[in-house]
């Protein structure tokens, strides 16, 4: 389900960002917000996140927090958000990949089944919520193995237990397969890296069932728990948040406060292209400028124009009097560059070289 305001993005047209004549917080009833890299990083609030969420909520937008991180319980996540100053955050507003994978397992095994857990308390709580029994050893006769992010202190022996059970043919599940996770000191290994450890140890023969973004089980869990009618997915990752929105048929906003940088955005394949792009969560509070195609095939947005010449992206100011410091929004330049780069790729060419254009923006 989607809503198109203003120019928007035409059905099937993914070669440029969409536009909205009104603030996104008014165009959509629910923001499905990723956490790591969007609301916080390494436990600390991302700049402008708390204030922006407060304004969006005060204006009537429902805020739901949808995370692939299965480490903490919804109660712990809500408490953390409250500590950061996010208004009105409650456990019922939090949807985790632990909940999604627990439902997936419960659909496959009888109630009361034992499940070997490699992960944190959030995963154990979610399993118990579905009537399943978490166990610690491959010798506890589990009928399933589940992996979720367990934090940097997860003992190596936990991976060994998972490998023993999977090697014996026990069905294998994963909350998510994000290879990385953003933190205060940089990008660290995520649950996907841990899944690869077990895969390698078992000879690469087994394949886990995965619940988290961008796959359908996570979208199903989110819809069931939030009841959103006009949702907007808000995330920092192309391969989870934005692809998950694409798979669910809903619109998305990419914020550049986490994993994805501008160069990666310009090289995005169609299913990884967000409907909207913003520097941070302040993008929820404003409309989105239209990206227009001119007579020469260039893409304009605000004071900027982008085109492709000799395999390179060319960025110029469409308004001679504008400057980055004096009114030309750099994010409008990014949106125009997206139009030029995505259209060139869709026309069958290679992704244009963005080096000079990004250097002009200081990216």
């Amino acid at each position: 389900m989607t809503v198109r305001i203003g120019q928007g993005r035409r059905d099937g047209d993914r070669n440029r960002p969409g536009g909205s004549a009104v603030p996104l917080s008014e165009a959509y009833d629910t923001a499905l917000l990723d956490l790591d890299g969007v609301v916080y990083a390494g436990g600390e609030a991302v700049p402008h996140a708390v204030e922006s969420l407060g304004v969006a909520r005060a204006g009537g937008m429902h805020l739901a927090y949808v995370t692939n991180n299965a480490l903490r319980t919804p109660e712990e996540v809500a408490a953390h958000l409250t500590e950061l100053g996010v208004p009105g955050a409650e456990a019922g507003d939090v949807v985790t990949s632990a909940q999604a994978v627990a439902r997936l397992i419960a659909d496959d095994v009888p109630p009361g089944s034992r499940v070997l857990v490699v992960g944190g308390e959030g995963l154990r709580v979610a399993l118990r919520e579905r009537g399943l029994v978490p166990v610690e050893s491959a010798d506890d006769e589990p009928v399933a193995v589940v992996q979720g992010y367990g934090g940097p202190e997860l003992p190596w022996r936990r991976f060994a237990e998972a490998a023993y059970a999977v090697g014996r043919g026990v069905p294998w599940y994963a909350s998510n397969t994000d290879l990385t996770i953003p933190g205060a000191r940089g990008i660290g290994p995520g649950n996907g890296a841990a899944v690869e450890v077990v895969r390698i140890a078992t000879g690469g023969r087994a394949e886990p069932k995965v619940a988290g973004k961008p796959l359908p089980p996570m979208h199903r869990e989110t819809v069931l728990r939030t009841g959103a009618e006009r949702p907007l997915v808000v995330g920092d990752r192309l391969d989870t948040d934005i692809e998950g929105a694409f798979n669910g048929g809903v619109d998305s906003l990419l914020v550049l406060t986490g994993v994805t940088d501008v160069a990666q955005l310009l090289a995005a394949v169609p299913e990884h292209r967000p409907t909207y792009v913003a520097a941070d969560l302040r993008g929820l509070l404003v409309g989105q400028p239209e990206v227009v195609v001119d007579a020469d095939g260039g893409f304009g947005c605000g004071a900027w124009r982008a085109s492709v010449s000799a395999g390179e992206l060319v960025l110029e100011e469409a308004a001679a009097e504008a400057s980055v410091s004096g009114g030309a929004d750099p994010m409008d330049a990014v949106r125009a560059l997206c139009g030029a780069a995505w259209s060139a790729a869709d026309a069958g060419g290679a992704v244009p070289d963005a080096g000079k254009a990004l250097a002009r923006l200081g990216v």
Side-chain angles (χ1 to χ4, degrees):
M1 60 194 77
T2 61
V3 61
R4 308 297 187 192
I5 302 296
Q7 169 77 11
R9 175 187 277 163
R10 299 178 184 88
D11 290 343
D13 181 4
R14 304 189 67 83
N15 67 358
R16 51 180 159 153
S20 174
V22 299
L24 299 183
S25 58
E26 297 177 15
Y28 299 86
D29 70 339
T30 305
L32 305 181
L33 295 139
D34 184 46
L35 289 173
D36 292 301
V38 175
V39 179
Y40 53 64
E44 299 299 321
V46 167
H48 309 294
V50 172
E51 298 88 345
S52 299
L53 293 175
V55 173
R57 183 174 183 271
M61 190 178 216
H62 177 212
L63 306 179
Y65 304 95
V66 185
T67 177
N68 263 0
N69 191 329
L71 177 60
R72 295 184 293 177
T73 66
E75 287 77 11
E76 290 171 327
V77 172
H80 181 206
L81 291 170
T82 300
E83 289 173 2
L84 295 177
V86 176
E90 299 180 357
D93 299 322
V94 179
V95 183
T96 73
S97 63
Q99 295 169 325
V101 78
R103 189 185 297 271
L104 189 62
I105 297 169
D107 287 343
D108 291 346
V109 304
S113 293
R114 297 181 178 186
V115 179
L116 174 59
V117 176
V118 182
E121 185 61 18
L123 198 51
R124 293 179 176 83
V125 168
L127 290 170
R128 295 189 188 103
E129 183 184 48
R130 293 286 152 213
L132 303 171
V133 180
V135 298
E136 302 294 317
S137 171
D139 296 333
D140 290 331
E141 299 183 350
V143 301
V145 177
V146 63
Q147 281 186 263
Y149 183 68
E153 307 303 324
L154 189 67
W156 192 255
R157 60 181 174 80
R158 303 300 306 140
F159 302 124
E161 293 296 331
Y164 300 150
V166 173
R168 297 170 188 172
V170 176
W172 185 22
Y173 298 80
S175 65
N176 66 296
T177 51
D178 298 23
L179 290 174
T180 60
I181 187 168
R185 297 174 60 196
I187 305 298
N191 190 55
V195 168
E196 289 304 309
V197 169
V198 175
R199 191 197 309 276
I200 292 168
T202 54
R205 294 181 298 274
E207 188 73 25
K209 284 188 177 182
V210 183
K213 297 178 286 187
L215 298 175
M218 189 67 172
H219 183 70
R220 176 182 66 158
E221 193 72 23
T222 300
V223 170
L224 288 173
R225 290 181 180 268
T226 66
E229 295 182 358
R230 301 191 315 279
L232 178 70
V233 169
V234 184
D236 69 312
R237 300 183 70 110
L238 302 179
D239 60 344
T240 55
D241 304 313
I242 306 308
E243 185 177 341
F246 174 84
N247 290 339
V250 300
D251 288 349
S252 60
L253 167 67
L254 178 80
V255 291
L256 299 174
T257 50
V259 169
T260 301
D261 60 26
V262 176
Q264 293 167 329
L265 173 63
L266 298 180
V269 296
E271 60 268 27
H272 289 174
R273 296 171 185 170
T275 314
Y276 311 108
V277 183
D280 51 56
L281 282 178
R282 288 177 294 181
L284 280 175
L285 308 180
V286 296
Q288 293 286 307
E290 181 182 349
V291 178
V292 297
V293 184
D294 62 30
D296 297 323
F299 289 79
C301 186
W304 295 98
R305 181 182 185 273
S307 58
V308 178
S309 177
E312 290 188 340
L313 284 170
V314 178
L315 180 65
E316 55 192 337
E317 293 180 58
E321 71 278 5
S323 67
V324 172
S325 60
D329 186 352
M331 285 308 305
D332 286 347
V334 171
R335 296 177 183 109
L337 286 168
C338 284
W342 296 348
S343 294
D346 289 352
V351 175
D353 187 303
K356 292 181 181 178
L358 295 184
R360 178 169 185 176
L361 286 175
V363 177

